[in-house]
Amino acid sequence: MASRAGDSVVLAIAALIFVAQQVAISNLGTDGSSGIFRQVLFFTTTVALALLALKLRRYWGAWLVALGILLNLVPMAAHRGSMPIDYAIIERSGAFPEVTRDDIGRQTNHGKDIVLERDDIHFFALSDRYVITLPVYGPNIYSLGDFVLFAGLGAVVTQAVAMAVVSGRRATQSGEATASR
């Protein structure tokens, strides 16, 4: 039981770090001292999130979460803490009609993405390049690391539920065995 309580604390810390990271990425500029601070903060929190995911390593999906985070870190490290996204992909997707050719070299929507031409993207295979339309959310552009991370989160939730069900059955069986004595 103590490890499950510890898991909750780790998850709460990870959620706080993730929220702080997203707020910082959205509100800090990419140039000058704020850009340097943004990069340091981003890389530090990303490594912390990967390590926290490994703290939950008894969940095999946590390994996928950590891998997804690190797969996203590679192209972002090559682009000063911003995830590169090819302008042609944005244009074809229709997901962000407000993004124009004038936005090349800039952050999109106060987020982690930076709009670039394909030839300017390092580690293109790991960049945001897969357009997916979700029923409620609508179209968005994801990276390979995002898919690995999402699969890991799904696996962690599935394993946690399965562990809770098995634990509940054992408690019920133990209670029945005690009652029959």
Side-chain angles (χ1 to χ4, degrees):
M1 191 59 111
S3 65
R4 287 204 181 109
D7 290 353
S8 297
V9 170
V10 170
L11 289 171
I13 291 169
L16 287 172
I17 290 172
F18 179 76
V19 168
Q21 180 188 65
Q22 295 305 305
V23 168
I25 287 173
S26 297
N27 293 301
L28 292 173
T30 56
D31 297 321
S33 60
S34 67
I36 292 169
F37 179 70
R38 179 183 185 270
Q39 290 174 41
V40 169
L41 182 68
F42 172 75
F43 290 118
T44 303
T45 55
T46 298
V47 170
L49 287 170
L51 292 174
L52 285 171
L54 291 178
K55 176 77 172 136
L56 300 171
R57 65 187 171 274
R58 67 188 177 98
Y59 296 99
W60 58 271
W63 293 93
L64 289 175
V65 170
L67 178 61
I69 290 169
L70 295 174
L71 285 172
N72 282 339
L73 181 62
V74 170
M76 292 178 83
H79 294 280
R80 299 176 43 209
S82 295
M83 177 59 87
I85 183 166
D86 181 7
Y87 174 72
I89 291 172
I90 293 173
E91 190 175 48
R92 277 194 311 269
S93 75
F96 304 99
E98 69 281 3
V99 176
T100 67
R101 187 161 287 286
D102 292 338
D103 292 311
I104 293 174
R106 295 188 195 146
Q107 245 179 296
T108 61
N109 303 321
H110 299 289
K112 67 173 179 49
D113 295 325
I114 185 167
V115 180
L116 297 172
E117 294 283 357
R118 165 65 183 98
D119 293 340
D120 296 327
I121 297 176
H122 306 291
F123 304 102
F124 179 73
L126 298 177
S127 69
D128 279 358
R129 59 185 283 221
Y130 303 99
V131 180
I132 304 289
T133 300
L134 299 174
V136 175
Y137 191 73
N140 201 8
I141 305 169
Y142 301 94
S143 67
L144 177 62
D146 293 336
F147 294 133
V148 172
L149 194 145
F150 297 151
L153 288 173
V156 166
V157 168
T158 301
Q159 186 178 353
V161 168
M163 289 170 69
V165 167
V166 168
S167 178
R169 285 185 186 159
R170 284 186 186 152
T172 301
Q173 290 171 350
S174 175
E176 290 170 358
T178 305
S180 65
R181 288 185 189 168

